[in-house]
Amino acid sequence: MSTKSLDSLSAAPRTTATAGTAGRVIAQRTAGSIFVLWAAVTLTFFVLRLTPGDPVTAILGGAGSSPSPETVAAVRAEYGLDQPVLVQYLSYLGGLLRGDFGVSYIFKVPVLEIIGPQILPTLQLAGLALVFAWIIALAFTILTVGRGRVLDGVGRGIEVFFASLPQFWVGIMLAVVFAVTLGWFPVAGNDGFRSLVLPALSLAIPLAGFIAQVTRSSFEEVLAQPFILSARARGLSDTLVRITHALRHAILPGLTLSAWAVGSLVSSAVVAEIIFARPGLGRSLVDAITNRDLPVTLAVVFIIAAVYILVNLVVDVLYRVVDPRTNPKGSAA
Amino acid sequence: MSEKLTRRAGITEQQPLLSIDTLNVSFTTPRGTMDVVKDVSLALVPGRALALVGESGSGKTVTARTLVGLNASNAHVTADQLDVLGHDATRLSERQWRGLRGKDIGYVLQDALVSLDPLRTVGQEIDEALRAHGVRGKAERTERVHAALRDAGIPDPEVRAGQRSGELSGGLRQRALIAQATVLNPRLVIADEPTTALDATVQAQILELLGSLKEQGRGLIFISHDLAVVSHLADEIAVMQHGRIVETGRASEVLSNPRHDYTRQLIDAIPSATGKGTRLSAGRRVIVPTRPLRISAVSTEAPALDARNLVKTYPSAGGTVRTVVDNVSFTLPAGKTLGIVGESGSGKSTTARIALGLTEPDSGTVTLGGLPWVGQPDGTGTVSEQIRRPHRPDIQLVNQDPLSSFDPRFSVGRVITDALDAGSVGTPADRKERAAELLGQVGLPLDLIERRPLTLSGGQRQRLAIARALALHPKVLLLDEPVSALDVSIQAQVLDLLADLQEQLGLSYLFISHDLGVIHHVSDDVLVLKDGRVVESGTAQSLFTAPTADYTRNLLAAVPSLPTRATSTALTGGTQ
């Protein structure tokens, strides 16, 4: 094209030069993932170690108990707490490499036995919340964007309202209306899909507000593009143009946002888990922090970091599926 | 009127495709009603081409969109008669319109890069038209997609159907855009600026393709701001200004014997046939030279720019090396204009960046007014930025798209004073005064000084970009496609302004363009680039009257020109 500016022309060769092979990309991403995991664990380890208070007190039943110095010394040696912090840190890392998350200070059993059963309920909750959030966000986008000033304003207003709602408030309201008053869903517990709906919605509604705001603005931009006019000039209906052309472009920024959202859903799941009395990682984390149960805290942080990384990888792949131009193989030009 | 709705089945080849009488289109906006199309009457029969010509905002696009029912929802359409393919278009429902669009009316937009969905393959885009109109069988659709691509002159349609518009060259991409509009053999094809932004040779091919659609008996509506482009294709021309048709008639008649002033202006504005020194627009500006805020150390005797054996390579995918600029040498004498012409990918923009001292060449040198500027004369090492920076104000750049080079939050005045601040010359009061002076020099009214660049018209933006480039009294302006995004009539005014500034401020221009007409008009000397190499260079006069390289001859042959003006070029080509 002859209309390119100086900058875009000179930028073109540079991008092709940096595009690596698939193998190199995978290697880079794996190294990056391991680094993030390590950094999360290390940071948490030292922050918890450097906060005042002796872990031995936690192990021996909290501040109220008054163990003898001999008992304290014995426990200290048993858990390796008499070693220098650096040695403790290295031996913890060594354990991680073998898949050993240590023993809970409170329950005196391997950490995985405690949090293992909690992982699935939390992932189910976060996953369903994300699905709900996307359904709500897309419904708003398709139904209200570019449909006249009134609908546009209403859609925009509801999105801001949703985005500014605190999750715990949404959770309590949903519980009061749909569980207590109407009795459509169980009030609490972990009993199949029905018990999952309200907790998931309480997390999904504020998130839907965020996602919808992002998709709305990109949807508006796309609707003004000439290729939308081309599609309509081929005889497509307005709705079909929105679904087959505009939507695909509009979800791209929302996808990026979702990568962040899933990670934050896992860590903010605690709100829904407490209100609806569900088991889950969030509750385990809060309990562990309150009880200064270091091994459990570290393990939950590790799992949340791992979920972040996995979700980011999945979103990257999805991004390339939706927008093939981002795939170096897909743009052979 | 209702009788016309029932005539649909009986339409024959001889009946008009379009029959429009007193069409008015207005838009309801928060600031009141805007009348965009006023009392327009048109007619079109099969096998003929009608060109709607006029500058941006003249209402030609709105007229065209009315014919497919695709105006914005706030449009209000009235007409004594609005007969489209035998239907009363004022009464068509959205569903009926959908039945016509794509099937009976094909609509081709300007730039395929943005007019085709960049995430979908061109095959999918064409296929969509077939599906929308109920072509069921998958095999049949695939066959028809390939046939449509082939008919549009695309080789290897099986391969091309699987590519996205961004992967195709400008010409192929535009052909694909035409294919998606014509796959169902519509009787009426509307093309809105279908060749704007294309290189001359590609433009010629696309015009030929549109011509073949006409030969097949379709009616063609062709919109352009450039009379030269429509001259070979149109049977009839309607010239639009401010929403009205000011002149209409047989193409040859309108072009050779224009009756309306505006038509004459449009014809005069075409720079293709007129040599340097000829005015393209009315009026001449006197530019008052002012007390310079900085004194340049650059000699006015030595060549403004002298480039020797520039080479620039980039690594490309697969470990190979792509030579973007290959042994390019040129001299720009002080006070003259050197035109660099070439198609996309010819290396003209990279050459420009090297001349600006923004991209380091692999080898070669550039001197600026006799001073070492890029690369040491002995061929080793570079000129350090510390040595270069004091002379940077002497060479300034004007882009094709000035808007993106302005900070959108800055006012017009601030855009200019910002450039003065960069040179840290004069007092703040001096700079304000200089900003006002510069606006006067480029012909912008002083009351624009508080406006944002976004609210300026295309021509005004380019004037502002020129004012900013002039702020620090440069010796050389590097003009990279400075008028390519402008309408012919605005282009004429900007080219005249550049000529005035050069004459009165003694500027030297390195003028880059893909448009040979513009290059011919502005240049003393011309450099033709292809694939990074100089294929021909010489004075504008010798190069345009007696090109030696085949490539130059092909380029020249592809330039659209008015038939009448073409003969006058041959006669007056030597008057410089």
Side-chain angles (χ1 to χ4, degrees):
Chain A
M1 257 202 50
S2 57
T3 53
K4 267 182 191 164
S5 69
L6 263 178
D7 307 85
S8 59
L9 268 177
S10 60
R14 239 171 269 154
T15 36
T16 42
T18 50
T21 60
R24 231 180 84 188
V25 172
I26 291 170
Q28 278 174 350
R29 294 300 296 254
T30 311
S33 307
I34 292 171
F35 173 79
V36 171
L37 279 178
W38 168 81
V41 167
T42 305
L43 205 66
T44 318
F45 184 91
F46 284 105
V47 165
L48 290 175
R49 259 298 183 282
L50 296 175
T51 44
D54 191 344
V56 178
T57 323
I59 297 170
L60 291 172
S65 59
S66 48
S68 67
E70 292 78 34
T71 326
V72 171
V75 168
R76 210 179 280 284
E78 188 192 335
Y79 285 85
L81 293 169
D82 52 347
Q83 308 277 332
V85 175
L86 206 61
V87 175
Q88 294 179 33
Y89 165 69
L90 289 175
S91 74
Y92 181 75
L93 277 191
L96 271 190
L97 287 178
R98 296 188 304 272
D100 175 12
F101 286 87
V103 175
S104 163
Y105 289 172
I106 306 298
F107 304 102
K108 322 284 191 278
V109 290
V111 168
L112 274 182
E113 273 178 37
I114 300 168
I115 60 170
Q118 317 286 329
I119 295 175
L120 193 61
T122 298
L123 288 185
Q124 282 173 338
L125 176 63
L128 190 65
L130 189 72
V131 170
F132 281 165
W134 267 102
I135 291 173
I136 298 169
L138 289 185
F140 267 108
T141 310
I142 295 175
L143 293 177
T144 68
V145 179
R147 304 250 190 213
R149 254 190 298 167
V150 179
L151 264 181
D152 226 27
V154 168
R156 209 177 284 269
I158 294 178
E159 281 160 23
V160 174
F161 177 66
F162 276 11
S164 52
L165 287 175
Q167 290 152 337
F168 74 89
W169 187 85
V170 179
I172 292 168
M173 286 300 126
L174 290 174
V176 167
V177 175
F178 294 101
V180 178
T181 314
L182 295 172
W184 293 355
F185 298 99
V187 181
N190 183 21
D191 183 24
F193 180 79
R194 263 162 53 85
S195 67
L196 205 55
V197 171
L198 290 185
L201 270 180
S202 68
L203 297 178
I205 286 174
L207 181 60
F210 282 113
I211 296 180
Q213 283 177 317
V214 178
T215 46
R216 165 180 301 272
S217 62
S218 56
F219 204 83
E220 276 170 354
E221 273 170 38
V222 176
L223 282 184
Q225 294 293 316
F227 66 80
I228 295 292
L229 188 69
S230 281
R232 296 199 61 199
R234 283 194 287 268
L236 261 67
S237 71
D238 190 43
T239 311
L240 208 56
V241 169
R242 278 165 186 262
I243 293 170
T244 56
H245 290 273
L247 202 57
R248 187 165 169 190
H249 291 257
I251 61 173
L252 285 171
L255 264 184
T256 314
L257 186 66
S258 298
W260 159 83
V262 173
S264 100
L265 278 175
V266 171
S267 50
S268 65
V270 61
V271 176
E273 284 165 4
I274 288 173
I275 292 171
F276 294 95
R278 287 177 51 82
L281 279 182
R283 287 193 69 151
S284 306
L285 180 61
V286 171
D287 290 345
I289 291 174
T290 337
N291 298 328
R292 303 188 52 79
D293 195 345
L294 183 73
V296 174
T297 312
L298 276 170
V300 175
V301 169
F302 183 88
I303 289 164
I304 292 177
V307 168
Y308 255 107
I309 290 164
L310 271 179
V311 167
N312 269 294
L313 282 175
V314 170
V315 165
D316 263 17
V317 172
L318 277 180
Y319 210 100
R320 276 157 201 245
V321 170
V322 177
D323 186 351
R325 292 173 301 175
T326 37
N327 190 343
K329 273 187 192 162
S331 56
Chain B
M1 285 283 177
S2 58
E3 178 218 348
K4 288 196 185 78
L5 268 175
T6 58
R7 255 180 23 197
R8 185 184 186 181
I11 197 153
T12 68
E13 285 289 299
Q14 270 59 48
Q15 276 174 309
L17 298 170
L18 289 174
S19 177
I20 299 167
D21 189 19
T22 331
L23 170 69
N24 283 281
V25 184
S26 60
F27 288 88
T28 321
T29 69
R31 280 171 295 162
T33 307
M34 277 171 22
D35 297 315
V36 178
V37 174
K38 299 164 201 160
D39 300 334
V40 163
S41 300
L42 295 169
L44 182 69
V45 294
R48 307 284 282 176
L50 166 70
L52 290 178
V53 181
E55 58 189 35
S56 328
S58 59
K60 50 195 197 311
T61 292
V62 171
T63 306
R65 289 197 188 165
T66 307
L67 304 180
V68 276
L70 281 178
N71 270 319
S73 56
N74 58 343
H76 183 66
V77 179
T78 61
D80 288 353
Q81 191 187 18
L82 185 56
D83 204 274
V84 178
L85 302 172
H87 305 272
D88 177 3
T90 55
R91 296 185 184 197
L92 285 176
S93 69
E94 175 61 25
R95 181 174 292 273
Q96 287 170 308
W97 269 125
R98 285 212 300 271
L100 290 177
R101 288 180 206 140
K103 185 160 175 288
D104 295 316
I105 309 172
Y107 196 79
V108 181
L109 281 158
Q110 181 175 340
D111 179 2
L113 199 57
V114 288
S115 300
L116 289 175
D117 192 331
L119 299 185
R120 291 157 56 100
T121 65
V122 296
Q124 285 173 324
E125 292 282 272
I126 301 169
D127 185 55
E128 193 174 73
L130 295 168
R131 287 161 74 148
H133 293 284
V135 181
R136 291 280 164 254
K138 180 102 178 66
E140 185 198 344
R141 288 206 314 266
T142 310
E143 184 48 47
R144 288 182 72 170
V145 166
H146 293 166
L149 287 169
R150 207 175 296 118
D151 290 346
I154 296 180
D156 301 327
E158 294 81 6
V159 178
R160 300 303 180 188
Q163 292 182 310
R164 289 177 295 276
S165 58
E167 299 172 68
L168 300 176
S169 69
L172 286 183
R173 181 195 294 159
Q174 203 67 18
R175 287 175 189 275
L177 184 64
I178 291 172
Q180 61 89 30
T182 54
V183 59
L184 286 150
N185 295 318
R187 284 177 285 162
L188 173 63
V189 175
I190 302 172
D192 190 348
E193 303 269 8
T195 65
T196 308
L198 294 179
D199 286 333
T201 47
V202 179
Q203 170 170 284
Q205 294 162 15
I206 297 298
L207 288 175
E208 198 179 311
L209 174 60
L210 289 171
S212 71
L213 294 178
K214 190 178 82 171
E215 308 285 294
Q216 295 159 17
R218 291 171 233 264
L220 183 64
I221 300 234
F222 183 12
I223 296 175
S224 179
H225 66 270
D226 191 338
L227 271 172
V229 170
V230 307
S231 60
H232 292 286
L233 192 58
D235 300 298
E236 280 177 66
I237 293 179
V239 180
M240 288 190 77
Q241 186 189 23
H242 306 314
R244 286 180 201 281
I245 293 183
V246 293
E247 178 161 3
T248 178
R250 295 232 324 277
S252 53
E253 193 71 15
V254 172
L255 292 170
S256 60
N257 188 17
R259 280 164 295 146
H260 196 275
D261 277 349
Y262 181 67
T263 315
R264 270 194 288 273
Q265 258 181 50
L266 282 180
I267 291 176
D268 288 342
I270 299 166
S272 56
T274 45
K276 198 167 151 67
T278 329
R279 308 294 295 176
L280 297 171
S281 62
R284 174 176 285 260
R285 180 166 304 282
V286 176
I287 288 137
V288 187
T290 51
R291 178 176 60 93
L293 286 176
R294 68 176 269 284
I295 308 294
S296 168
V298 166
S299 154
T300 47
E301 304 300 317
L305 275 175
D306 191 49
R308 291 287 137 234
N309 310 102
L310 298 178
V311 176
K312 181 70 190 171
T313 57
Y314 285 105
S316 69
T320 55
V321 167
R322 206 155 56 85
T323 308
V324 178
V325 176
D326 192 356
N327 201 21
V328 169
S329 302
F330 59 83
T331 305
L332 167 59
K336 299 288 184 187
T337 301
L338 172 65
I340 299 187
V341 68
E343 309 209 309
S344 332
S346 60
K348 48 190 200 304
S349 286
T350 309
T351 306
R353 284 188 65 92
I354 294 172
L356 275 170
L358 293 176
T359 294
E360 284 298 329
D362 297 357
S363 64
T365 60
V366 181
T367 59
L368 173 68
L371 299 168
W373 180 245
V374 172
Q376 297 292 356
D378 58 6
T380 57
T382 57
V383 179
S384 79
E385 189 58 27
Q386 280 100 314
I387 295 173
R388 234 184 248 167
R389 188 160 294 146
H391 304 299
R392 283 223 176 260
D394 286 315
I395 180 165
Q396 292 291 310
L397 170 72
V398 176
N399 267 322
Q400 177 187 357
D401 174 17
L403 188 62
S404 60
S405 74
F406 301 138
D407 188 324
R409 295 163 307 161
F410 282 11
S411 66
V412 165
R414 177 108 189 262
V415 166
I416 300 176
T417 50
D418 193 49
L420 292 166
D421 294 345
S424 41
V425 289
T427 63
D430 282 346
R431 294 178 203 167
K432 270 222 169 93
E433 193 187 324
R434 174 82 180 128
E437 242 171 51
L438 283 162
L439 287 185
Q441 285 193 343
V442 298
L444 283 176
L446 206 56
D447 54 3
L448 292 182
I449 202 158
E450 291 302 322
R451 293 260 291 271
R452 308 272 155 211
L454 198 66
T455 66
L456 303 182
S457 69
Q460 285 174 331
R461 286 169 190 168
Q462 203 52 280
R463 283 171 194 271
L464 176 59
I466 294 169
R468 178 178 59 180
L470 293 177
L472 289 166
H473 310 279
K475 293 278 174 277
V476 183
L477 283 194
L478 208 153
L479 304 154
D480 189 6
E481 304 269 5
V483 293
S484 304
L486 302 175
D487 280 354
V488 170
S489 47
I490 307 298
Q491 165 178 300
Q493 294 166 15
V494 172
L495 290 180
D496 282 350
L497 169 70
L498 287 170
D500 292 339
L501 289 167
Q502 178 167 48
E503 185 187 322
Q504 297 178 37
L505 301 176
L507 297 167
S508 315
Y509 291 156
L510 192 64
F511 198 112
I512 296 175
S513 181
H514 71 282
D515 186 330
L516 282 124
V518 170
I519 288 289
H520 186 188
H521 177 75
V522 300
S523 305
D524 297 296
D525 299 313
V526 178
L527 199 67
V528 182
L529 286 184
K530 181 179 191 296
D531 300 330
R533 289 203 191 91
V534 179
V535 291
E536 186 161 4
S537 67
T539 64
Q541 188 191 329
S542 65
L543 194 133
F544 278 87
T545 49
T548 54
D550 287 345
Y551 179 70
T552 318
R553 271 197 286 272
N554 290 340
L555 272 184
L556 284 172
V559 174
S561 60
L562 300 178
T564 47
R565 311 282 294 191
T567 40
S568 72
T569 320
L571 295 173
T572 60
T575 58
Q576 271 205 39

